[in-house]
Amino acid sequence: MEKPNVVSTILNKERNIRFNILAYRKLTRAEMIETVSHFYSQKKRPKKLKPGSTITIVTIIGYDT
């Protein structure tokens, strides 16, 4: 299975945090928001991210068998 290679980017303007999401296709805004929400929900104690941070999230959205 190949790794995802399409980058979709969403920016949290309030905190100046960029989320780069790797997927198998370009994601819609709703899918990006859902992915970031899932990222936060998986952490037991989410650390406060510093302004200017870039977070990379890898997802299998768009993978067709």
Side-chain angles (χ1 to χ4, degrees):
M1 182 165 128
E2 295 177 27
K3 291 184 179 180
N5 59 354
V6 179
V7 179
S8 299
T9 303
I10 191 167
L11 179 65
N12 180 340
K13 292 181 183 180
E14 293 176 4
R15 296 186 178 196
N16 192 26
I17 300 172
R18 179 181 304 274
F19 293 94
N20 292 330
I21 304 168
L22 294 171
Y24 290 98
R25 62 175 171 77
K26 191 72 174 169
L27 301 180
T28 65
R29 181 163 176 78
E31 289 170 331
M32 289 188 281
I33 291 170
E34 181 181 347
T35 302
V36 171
S37 296
H38 184 73
F39 169 76
Y40 276 115
S41 70
Q42 293 300 308
K43 294 182 165 247
K44 292 184 179 183
R45 286 190 180 187
K47 293 181 181 178
K48 196 168 190 179
L49 300 173
K50 296 180 182 177
S53 297
T54 300
I55 307 299
T56 302
I57 302 171
V58 180
T59 182
I60 61 168
I61 295 176
Y63 179 73
D64 294 328
T65 56

